[in-house]
Amino acid sequence: MAVDAELLCLVFNLIIAYTGVSALAEEYERVKLTAYKSYRDVEMIHYSIPPQVSVVSWQFIAAVDNEGCPEMTAHIALKHGSYPVVDPFNSSFPTDVYIDKHRIYELETKASYRPETSLGFSIINPLPGSWFAIAYLPPPRDEEIKQQGLSQSCKYSLGSLALWSPSEDITLLVSDRTIEQVLTDKELYSYYKFYVPETTLSFKVILSDCFVPSNGTVVSCSMIYSVRGGAFPYLDTDAMKCNSTQPCVYEGHQPQVEQYYYITVKKINDNRKMEVGYKINVSLQVCTVTVRSTEDALHPVVISNFVHMRSSTVTFTENITHPKLYPGMSNATGSGVHKVHDGPICQPLVQLVRFKHVGDFSDTFIVHEGSHYTRTVKVDDKQASPFVFELLSFVDIGGTLKFQFSFEDDTLQNLTTQEVRVMACLRQGGLPHFREPDCGRDLPISVDTGLKVTTQHLLFPYPDPGKWYFTLQASCYLVTSMLEKIPVQCMRPVLVNLDVRTRACDDHYCGRYGICQESHRGQFYFTSCSCLANYRGWDCTDATHAFTDSQLIANTLLLTLSNLFFVPAVIIAIHRRYFTEALVYFVTMFFSTFYHACDEDVYYWCLMRYSVLQFCDFYASIMSFWVTLIAMAKLNWTLRSLAHMLAAILVALGVAYDRRGLWVFVVPAGAGLAIMLASWGFQCYNQKACYPKRRQYLLLLPGVLLAGVGLILFAFVETEGNYQYVHSTWHVLVALCILFLLPKRDKIAASPNSSAEELADASNTDMAALLDK
């Protein structure tokens, strides 16, 4: 291959030399590109981007190893956190599957022989951590079935490099401590960061006292700043504009927790080349962890089907191990609850416990209360109940996250005149922004007895790792005669069953026309649906180009019943006392029939393991050519037996080594043809005359034509679209050519003491008699 990582390194060296910045680069070996038929055909590249990076740039070079290969479009998709979900067939995703397409960057570049250019792509202020790229070639339209060794081999590949420039000059801010900052006339930006702990309810960033040092004239002060969690912010239209007259305040409610927030301040307008001073302050509002007293720990509290056991000593309750306050909590303390510090009290955040099952992507998350585990929770109608569970990097991201909840049976059976609605708000990285009646920017999902919706779920293929938060809140209504809903207090407890789990794309998920397959790319592994019968889509439900059931049945019948054309060949071989040949033809017919019956997509039946049927089909087919050529050679019994045994061993070895290789067929067929021609030449020499007679070639010509046409169809005409028709025709032609190629009855073949001269005389007599008829 003419293109390698050295060219990529050269490109990056030029970038570094031009920009004059220090940079870190990650170099990757080339990955092989294949045509996309299902997600398991993609190649995957992983990049680890450090924090505090202002820009990351990628360079991609796609190439092919042979000058005669066509130019192809290489598709690339990039995503932070987990694997990008793509569908090159442009099929619609199911309504219960959530895909955040705004976080996926899709690119294209040309794969050619000795490419002279590369594809560059940059992201400003990227999120730190894992970035994943997948690469593939476009789906084939009607792919030609290429026999190994008969067509040009084209290997497409993709090379990539990543380059980033980390920023070190970042000031750490502490809550409630004001910092005075002066930007010189040569400084345009300043950067800050502050940490948001788990108990943070909200924060404020205040930029004030903006001034320009006096130089004898009055100059107004103009600045902008922006805030973002996890990475540097964008100074776009959402940036706060500040001046000398009043401070500007940014408020962040329900922030993403356990990470750094970053602030970028920039001088604007006439202040860009002036010295500017200002003050900046960050204030965090945090909640207070609470403890249970012994007075409240004397008796167990029974909720639904689980018991929360409390000990007789002062301890933190388990569901306050990860405490937070959800909006609406007051500063007052209830009975048996004591404050550790002044301020709002952290509302208990229920941590779902992971249960590991056998197999990949099969974990479940349930509530742990005391010594019991349950999926049933009580939902309050006064305030939202928060929950959290955690997905692990590289362990969970290759599966599908299923989030489902439903009314518990007792709730449905004890319904009154009230209608009950439970709203769930889901968010990754922080508590959702629940505001009745919706979830704001977070994901909503609800069940409602009035709408007869008692179960709802969402599926997240290849979910992001980290903590996932969700809240549940009940609402009850009375329906008036005018069909108006009046909010009222719930008369009975509202119980909900949670079903939160990771799962593979099992056969139920992939539907009737899909198979769930697990794929590995080094340390990364994932599951995806492989569609059958020309179905498409993420879950194999797009039937736009699919075969109908009648077409599928017809395809199976064509490929299996076409082998019945071997029946006349078996009968002719028995009639002419070629019993070994008859057995081989029958075995070929038998295993070809059941191999194709097992090889079909939907309507199939496997007599035994697929690999066994495939081996026997390939093996018997080659042996059919062999025994026919040896029969035409008219060898004596000893040589014929030796030839058959030697071929049986060597062909079995070749088929086991590479059953689809060209030489597995060419070597036996060529050797058999050479033996036949040598035998004919030997008989011509002994008889001093041409053998077979010229008139006898008229019998061989139809057989040769049938075999030749069959081989051409098999080697050069078959495609994925016409396979069932062309391959069935190949069965028919090969079976019929035996009727013309197999010689007449060998009257002395059974005698091991027969000489070559006797065999030749008998053969001449039979041929002459046949021509005289």
Side-chain angles (χ1 to χ4, degrees):
M1 167 124 3
V3 177
D4 52 22
E6 295 180 0
L7 180 57
L8 290 171
C9 291
L10 177 60
V11 172
F12 274 105
N13 289 334
L14 292 175
I15 294 176
I16 295 172
Y18 179 78
T19 59
V21 298
S22 59
L24 299 176
E26 288 196 1
E27 180 180 345
Y28 290 88
E29 296 182 359
R30 292 187 303 268
V31 294
K32 181 182 178 182
L33 296 177
T34 56
Y36 186 100
K37 296 179 182 178
S38 66
Y39 199 87
R40 68 190 304 244
D41 296 317
V42 305
E43 288 296 332
M44 195 167 294
I45 309 173
H46 174 245
Y47 309 92
S48 183
I49 308 299
Q52 304 175 182
V53 169
S54 57
V55 60
V56 59
S57 298
W58 282 273
Q59 291 287 328
F60 298 97
I61 295 181
V64 65
D65 65 339
N66 199 307
E67 188 175 5
C69 294
E71 186 178 84
M72 300 283 286
T73 300
H75 295 263
I76 306 162
L78 271 168
K79 181 177 178 290
H80 173 263
S82 185
Y83 313 138
V85 177
V86 297
D87 184 12
F89 296 107
N90 294 322
S91 302
S92 58
F93 286 90
T95 56
D96 59 349
V97 174
Y98 177 79
I99 306 295
D100 189 357
K101 294 185 178 180
H102 299 290
R103 297 177 54 213
I104 301 175
Y105 303 91
E106 298 192 46
L107 314 170
E108 293 182 1
T109 185
K110 293 296 183 180
S112 59
Y113 183 69
R114 294 183 179 178
E116 298 179 356
T117 60
S118 62
L119 171 66
F121 178 72
S122 299
I123 295 179
I124 306 299
N125 300 336
L127 289 169
S130 293
W131 283 77
F132 292 92
I134 61 170
Y136 56 91
L137 295 177
R141 294 183 179 180
D142 189 10
E143 185 178 12
E144 179 183 353
I145 300 177
K146 299 179 179 180
Q147 309 301 329
Q148 292 185 15
L150 294 180
S151 58
Q152 188 178 44
S153 176
C154 297
K155 295 181 181 179
Y156 295 87
S157 61
L158 178 76
S160 73
L161 278 177
L163 177 76
W164 54 79
S165 178
S167 299
E168 303 293 342
D169 188 14
I170 301 175
T171 304
L172 177 64
L173 299 179
V174 180
S175 180
D176 297 324
R177 292 185 182 179
T178 301
I179 291 181
E180 295 185 6
Q181 180 78 39
V182 176
L183 290 178
T184 66
D185 55 353
K186 295 182 180 180
E187 294 177 318
L188 184 62
Y189 297 92
S190 59
Y191 302 96
Y192 306 89
K193 67 179 180 180
F194 61 94
Y195 186 73
V196 177
E198 191 178 21
T199 54
T200 303
L201 304 177
S202 63
F203 65 83
K204 289 183 180 180
V205 178
I206 304 174
L207 194 148
S208 61
D209 298 337
C210 179
F211 68 95
V212 177
S214 175
N215 57 359
T217 59
V218 178
V219 180
S220 61
C221 180
S222 299
M223 308 189 72
I224 61 173
Y225 78 94
S226 188
V227 183
R228 182 187 177 198
F232 291 134
Y234 303 105
L235 291 172
D236 51 17
T237 55
D238 295 332
M240 303 289 295
K241 295 183 179 180
C242 309
N243 52 46
S244 306
T245 58
Q246 60 183 0
C248 49
V249 180
Y250 176 91
E251 297 188 21
H253 298 283
Q254 299 299 126
Q256 292 183 315
V257 296
E258 296 183 305
Q259 66 175 330
Y260 281 98
Y261 267 69
Y262 292 86
I263 306 171
T264 300
V265 181
K266 179 185 178 182
K267 296 184 296 185
I268 60 174
N269 300 333
D270 296 335
N271 300 141
R272 294 171 63 91
K273 296 184 179 181
M274 296 182 180
E275 186 177 283
V276 175
Y278 59 88
K279 295 180 181 179
I280 188 167
N281 175 273
V282 172
S283 177
L284 302 181
Q285 183 187 19
V286 297
C287 61
T288 303
V289 179
T290 62
V291 294
R292 300 284 184 176
S293 70
T294 56
E295 296 176 0
D296 194 38
L298 298 178
H299 304 285
V301 179
V302 180
I303 302 178
S304 183
N305 60 344
F306 65 89
V307 180
H308 186 178
M309 302 300 295
R310 307 232 177 105
S311 65
S312 59
T313 59
V314 179
T315 58
F316 287 92
T317 57
E318 182 170 352
N319 62 347
I320 307 182
T321 303
H322 299 79
K324 277 190 181 66
L325 178 73
Y326 202 69
M329 291 292 289
S330 66
N331 291 343
T333 58
S335 175
V337 179
H338 301 282
K339 295 189 296 180
V340 178
H341 303 285
D342 290 333
I345 302 170
C346 291
Q347 181 182 0
L349 176 62
V350 180
Q351 175 83 45
L352 301 188
V353 179
R354 176 190 293 263
F355 265 63
K356 181 69 177 178
H357 298 277
V358 177
D360 297 327
F361 312 117
S362 59
D363 297 355
T364 57
F365 300 89
I366 62 177
V367 177
H368 183 201
E369 281 290 335
S371 60
H372 286 70
Y373 297 89
T374 182
R375 289 193 176 97
T376 303
V377 296
K378 180 181 178 181
V379 183
D380 198 351
D381 62 338
K382 298 181 178 62
Q383 62 184 11
S385 303
F387 300 81
V388 64
F389 61 94
E390 186 173 6
L391 300 183
L392 303 177
S393 300
F394 308 112
V395 175
D396 297 320
I397 62 176
T400 298
L401 170 63
K402 177 184 179 183
F403 178 82
Q404 175 178 303
F405 71 104
S406 59
F407 285 116
E408 208 268 336
D409 291 339
D410 290 343
T411 299
L412 296 176
Q413 294 171 2
N414 297 327
L415 283 177
T416 60
T417 56
Q418 294 181 339
E419 291 183 358
V420 182
R421 175 175 178 260
V422 176
M423 170 68 75
C425 299
L426 187 63
R427 182 187 181 195
Q428 196 270 336
L431 279 171
H433 298 78
F434 178 77
R435 295 292 185 271
E436 184 70 28
D438 56 39
C439 300
R441 293 175 298 175
D442 301 313
L443 292 176
I445 177 173
S446 63
V447 290
D448 195 326
T449 59
L451 300 177
K452 309 299 182 184
V453 178
T454 60
T455 301
Q456 280 281 30
H457 74 274
L458 278 177
L459 300 175
F460 300 86
Y462 308 150
D464 288 345
K467 290 186 177 181
W468 287 68
Y469 298 81
F470 66 94
T471 58
L472 298 174
Q473 183 162 7
S475 304
C476 294
Y477 304 90
L478 284 178
V479 182
T480 65
S481 58
M482 301 298 293
L483 300 181
E484 294 181 356
K485 291 186 176 183
I486 302 176
V488 295
Q489 184 177 354
C490 295
M491 299 176 59
R492 295 180 180 274
V494 179
L495 303 179
V496 169
N497 291 325
L498 291 175
D499 185 8
V500 182
R501 65 178 67 219
T502 58
R503 56 181 284 185
C505 55
D506 51 39
D507 293 338
H508 175 73
Y509 178 79
C510 295
R512 180 188 177 192
Y513 300 99
I515 300 174
C516 181
Q517 296 178 320
E518 182 172 324
S519 305
H520 291 256
R521 298 291 184 273
Q523 61 179 319
F524 311 111
Y525 56 102
F526 55 90
T527 61
S528 59
C529 293
S530 181
C531 301
L532 309 173
N534 224 27
Y535 275 78
R536 297 177 179 178
W538 186 255
D539 59 346
C540 303
T541 55
D542 182 1
T544 305
H545 303 86
F547 297 120
T548 63
D549 285 350
S550 58
Q551 288 177 312
L552 294 173
I553 294 174
N555 292 345
T556 303
L557 293 178
L558 271 175
L559 290 168
T560 54
L561 298 184
S562 59
N563 289 285
L564 294 179
F565 278 84
F566 277 94
V567 172
V570 174
I571 295 174
I572 290 295
I574 293 175
H575 176 72
R576 295 179 180 176
R577 295 184 181 180
Y578 289 103
F579 299 114
T580 299
E581 290 76 3
L583 176 62
V584 173
Y585 299 151
F586 176 79
V587 170
T588 301
M589 176 184 68
F590 178 86
F591 281 106
S592 180
T593 299
F594 286 102
Y595 164 66
H596 286 291
C598 184
D599 189 44
E600 289 304 292
D601 287 342
V602 180
Y603 296 98
Y604 64 92
W605 183 77
C606 295
L607 178 66
M608 55 188 72
R609 287 201 315 271
Y610 176 84
S611 58
V612 175
L613 290 172
Q614 187 184 57
F615 173 85
C616 293
D617 174 53
F618 282 65
Y619 177 72
S621 299
I622 296 174
M623 288 301 297
S624 294
F625 280 94
W626 174 264
V627 297
T628 303
L629 291 172
I630 296 302
M632 295 172 65
K634 288 291 184 176
L635 300 178
N636 62 37
W637 188 90
T638 301
L639 293 178
R640 182 183 301 181
S641 176
L642 177 62
H644 287 341
M645 287 304 300
L646 184 62
I649 296 173
L650 296 180
V651 171
L653 176 63
V655 173
Y657 180 76
D658 183 11
R659 62 196 61 178
R660 295 187 181 275
L662 175 65
W663 295 105
V664 177
F665 174 80
V666 170
V667 172
L673 187 62
I675 292 174
M676 182 190 71
L677 294 177
S679 176
W680 286 0
F682 180 73
Q683 295 183 53
C684 288
Y685 176 77
N686 286 340
Q687 298 176 20
K688 308 300 183 183
C690 183
Y691 178 83
K693 301 297 184 182
R694 293 182 179 179
R695 290 179 300 172
Q696 295 171 354
Y697 283 107
L698 296 176
L699 295 175
L700 301 177
L701 184 60
V704 172
L705 290 176
L706 289 173
V709 172
L711 287 172
I712 292 173
L713 292 177
F714 177 77
F716 304 106
V717 180
E718 275 188 1
T719 65
E720 296 285 352
N722 64 20
Y723 173 77
Q724 62 273 17
Y725 307 109
V726 174
H727 199 78
S728 299
T729 305
W730 151 258
H731 289 167
V732 174
L733 294 177
V734 170
L736 292 179
C737 78
I738 296 175
L739 304 180
F740 297 94
L741 296 180
L742 197 66
K744 285 279 292 181
R745 180 185 303 173
D746 192 350
K747 297 181 180 179
I748 59 173
S751 175
N753 297 321
S754 301
S755 63
E757 293 78 4
E758 292 173 329
L759 287 171
D761 293 341
S763 176
N764 292 335
T765 303
D766 289 339
M767 290 287 185
L770 183 61
L771 291 174
D772 291 339
K773 290 182 180 180

